[in-house]
Amino acid sequence: MNMIKFKHFHKSKLVYRVTFLLLSCLVLFAPMTAYADTPADIANNDGYSIDYKYNPKGDVVISAYNGQILYGYNIDAKWPPASMSKLMTLYLLMQEMDKGKVTYKTKVTVNDKYYGISKLPMLSNNNFRKGATYTVDELIQIMLTASSNSATFMLANLVDKDDSDFVDLMNRKANELGMTNTRFYNPAGPPNNLLLQYKPKRYLQDDDNISSSRDFAILCQHLVTEYPEILKYTSKVNVTVKKGTQDQETFGTYNHSLEGAKLGYKGVDGLKTGSSDTAGFNTAITGKQNNMRIIQIMLGVEDWYDPPAEFNRNKMANAIMDLIYSKYAYKKVLSKGVHKVNGKEIIVFNDLYDIVRDGQKGKLIYKNGKVHYEYDREFISKDYNAPTVKYEDYEKYKTEQFFKHNLWWIVMVSIFSIIAGIFLLIYYFRPHWFKSVKMICTQKYQSLVKWIKNKRKKD
């Protein structure tokens, strides 16, 4: 009996040791982007006092530069983005404007449909007047700052007049970008049932648009890098449109982390918030400090009827940005010029910059003419990788440069050498040709000299 107990004791001890070892390995080798702390933890560590009931459903921070995940919390949790859906409408509009058919000066008139949407209850809208005319420039500002659903439909219909076809386009674009957890039912983002008769005809379900923090980070990264001019709209704390007319309206931002806003954070200049009774409070934030632009997506701070939730969203977002800027930096990891790698000289054509975590060791990888900085990290999707710069064998490069800069002289010398070689061959095989030529040249020369002498005597 004692022997059985002894064996059982040692077996338990062995299991404990193995378990401890495995857990230690997990902690040691876990990706640096996997944080154990929740957004509420981070905010409280940063000096706020946030109840854990305000933890969002999902949150992610990425580098706009390379799509690297800098912080993640339930980043694939599906949740309604609410009015942040308007960012996809904006992206499609910007792509349409690239074609040149729509410009910032293009005008849109408020018709019965847009007027009707502006009067729907429980929606983010402004006071549109039937027959009033707005430019695309004005409508973008109204859509982003006032979160106007009516303005959103007006812009969406510049891309496609049929609302259902436009939502098809939204979903195709989401799939193209790799937003695998995203499904749109309308261009603006409110619960579909609140649009009443204005729901897209092929999307009549009483559903919310659905997405995830990861998916919206992908979308915002494309927006910010491909169309940085949108930040002139999203960076405004207060805006007035149609100033001095009967349609003048003034709007204030809902992005409380915007620099200059109630919970303003240094460097924040966009993007968009979203809220509803089903979504709670969401936010898409972008900002830049020390040449490093980050994007944060926070979804599902609840609930919509709880006044502190709206501002706790931004307190947590700000605390997370504090953490990111303290841990990561945009740095030069390799200078352009000549370097010795494995005993061989190579030339790097541009400085290599990357997002580097404080205290994280990495190494430079040279492969197939490109060099990148490698360390343990994750990216928002398979479409993103560590930035690279080109390199080449230095001796080969010097040879190429010599021929590039001296090509004209090389060609001229080659031509002269070929001609000289031809003459030498002729002289070797047909020397009498040269005697005849010499005789003719001598006679011509003597005739010329004689003519000159006679000319001088006459003068």
Side-chain angles (χ1 to χ4, degrees):
M1 192 70 175
N2 289 336
M3 184 60 70
I4 293 171
K5 285 182 180 180
F6 181 76
K7 287 181 179 179
H8 178 71
F9 171 77
H10 275 272
K11 188 177 179 182
S12 300
K13 198 171 182 180
L14 181 63
V15 170
Y16 172 79
R17 285 177 175 174
V18 170
T19 304
F20 179 78
L21 184 62
L22 287 172
L23 287 172
S24 299
C25 289
L26 283 171
V27 171
L28 229 97
F29 297 106
M32 296 302 289
T33 52
Y35 286 88
D37 288 347
T38 69
D41 286 324
I42 295 169
N44 290 331
N45 291 337
D46 207 37
Y48 294 101
S49 181
I50 305 291
D51 193 293
Y52 286 93
K53 71 178 182 179
Y54 294 112
N55 261 323
K57 296 300 182 290
D59 188 276
V60 70
V61 182
I62 68 167
S63 159
Y65 174 62
N66 63 359
Q68 182 179 338
I69 299 176
L70 309 178
Y71 170 78
Y73 174 76
N74 296 337
I75 69 174
D76 291 310
K78 293 183 179 181
W79 195 254
S83 284
M84 281 165 46
S85 303
K86 295 174 172 71
L87 293 175
M88 176 59 88
T89 296
L90 176 63
Y91 185 57
L92 294 174
L93 172 70
M94 300 304 290
Q95 291 194 321
E96 184 69 16
M97 291 174 71
D98 283 342
K99 300 174 186 176
K101 295 179 181 179
V102 178
T103 70
Y104 288 110
K105 294 181 179 180
T106 299
K107 294 181 178 180
V108 186
T109 301
V110 179
N111 60 21
D112 289 337
K113 171 186 172 182
Y114 305 137
Y115 177 77
I117 294 173
S118 74
K119 296 303 176 185
L120 289 174
M122 294 184 68
L123 295 183
S124 298
N125 283 306
N126 60 309
N127 295 316
F128 274 141
R129 176 178 58 86
K130 196 184 301 183
T133 300
Y134 291 80
T135 63
V136 166
D137 180 71
E138 291 168 331
L139 289 172
I140 291 175
Q141 193 69 74
I142 295 169
M143 175 179 73
L144 292 175
T145 305
S147 202
S148 168
N149 294 295
S150 187
T152 306
F153 273 85
M154 293 168 77
L155 292 171
N157 290 157
L158 288 174
V159 180
D160 199 305
K161 292 181 179 179
D162 185 279
D163 293 334
S164 295
D165 287 345
F166 183 79
V167 177
D168 287 345
L169 186 59
M170 294 176 79
N171 286 314
R172 282 200 300 272
K173 183 57 66 175
N175 184 62
E176 180 185 316
L177 296 179
M179 300 169 65
T180 56
N181 287 321
T182 298
R183 176 73 171 170
F184 292 106
Y185 294 94
N186 67 67
N192 221 22
N193 60 299
L194 297 183
L195 287 173
L196 303 179
Q197 70 268 33
Y198 300 106
K199 287 189 289 188
K201 302 304 179 190
R202 293 199 306 276
Y203 292 88
L204 297 176
Q205 302 96 319
D206 288 336
D207 289 331
D208 274 293
N209 292 345
I210 201 75
S211 191
S212 68
S213 299
R214 181 195 296 271
D215 284 7
F216 254 79
I218 293 171
L219 172 61
C220 290
Q221 195 276 340
H222 280 276
L223 257 177
V224 167
T225 55
E226 293 173 32
Y227 302 104
E229 61 269 30
I230 66 167
L231 298 175
K232 73 178 183 181
Y233 298 101
T234 63
S235 61
K236 295 178 181 177
V237 176
N238 295 290
V239 295
T240 299
V241 294
K242 295 290 184 186
K243 195 171 184 178
T245 73
Q246 62 178 317
D247 298 309
Q248 177 177 320
E249 289 185 273
T250 298
F251 311 107
T253 185
Y254 295 104
N255 183 358
H256 306 302
S257 292
L258 202 62
E259 191 166 4
K262 187 171 182 178
L263 293 170
Y265 192 93
K266 183 182 177 182
V268 170
D269 49 10
L271 293 161
K272 182 84 181 70
T273 63
S275 62
S276 72
D277 59 342
T278 53
F281 293 96
N282 307 324
T283 190
I285 292 173
T286 186
K288 188 175 183 180
Q289 285 188 22
N290 302 321
N291 294 317
M292 185 172 75
R293 177 170 290 282
I294 63 174
I295 295 166
Q296 179 172 189
I297 308 297
M298 182 177 287
L299 298 179
V301 178
E302 294 193 291
D303 70 38
W304 198 47
Y305 300 100
D306 182 4
E310 178 178 355
F311 296 98
N312 285 338
R313 162 189 61 182
N314 293 91
K315 290 175 182 177
M316 288 186 288
N318 288 358
I320 292 170
M321 288 190 285
D322 278 342
L323 176 68
I324 297 306
Y325 283 124
S326 71
K327 296 292 184 184
Y328 290 91
Y330 176 74
K331 289 183 178 180
K332 181 165 68 174
V333 294
L334 179 65
S335 297
K336 63 181 179 181
V338 180
H339 299 270
K340 204 163 189 177
V341 180
N342 297 326
K344 190 176 182 180
E345 282 191 320
I346 57 103
I347 182 167
V348 177
F349 295 105
N350 297 103
D351 292 333
L352 176 60
Y353 285 86
D354 206 341
I355 305 299
V356 180
R357 183 181 169 94
D358 184 43
Q360 176 76 49
K361 291 183 178 179
K363 59 181 179 178
L364 292 163
I365 303 296
Y366 296 83
K367 189 176 181 181
N368 300 326
K370 290 183 178 180
V371 55
H372 71 272
Y373 189 65
E374 187 172 283
Y375 69 94
D376 188 19
R377 54 178 159 176
E378 298 174 38
F379 295 90
I380 197 67
S381 82
K382 59 181 177 59
D383 296 324
Y384 298 86
N385 295 289
T388 62
V389 292
K390 292 181 180 179
Y391 74 91
E392 193 175 320
D393 178 89
Y394 187 48
E395 291 300 321
K396 180 183 176 184
Y397 172 76
K398 285 195 295 185
T399 304
E400 290 172 350
Q401 290 302 301
F402 174 79
F403 280 102
K404 180 180 178 181
H405 294 297
N406 297 283
L407 183 62
W408 171 252
W409 291 107
I410 292 169
V411 171
M412 291 300 294
V413 169
S414 298
I415 293 172
F416 177 80
S417 299
I418 291 168
I419 293 171
I422 292 170
F423 273 98
L424 285 170
L425 286 171
I426 294 172
Y427 180 77
Y428 181 81
F429 290 103
R430 296 287 189 273
H432 60 279
W433 287 6
F434 285 88
K435 290 178 181 178
S436 300
V437 170
K438 182 180 179 182
M439 187 181 298
I440 292 169
C441 289
T442 302
Q443 289 173 354
K444 292 290 183 182
Y445 174 75
Q446 289 173 347
S447 298
L448 179 62
V449 170
K450 188 176 180 180
W451 180 84
I452 292 171
K453 286 180 179 179
N454 291 334
K455 181 74 174 169
R456 283 177 178 174
K457 285 180 181 180
K458 289 180 182 180
D459 294 339

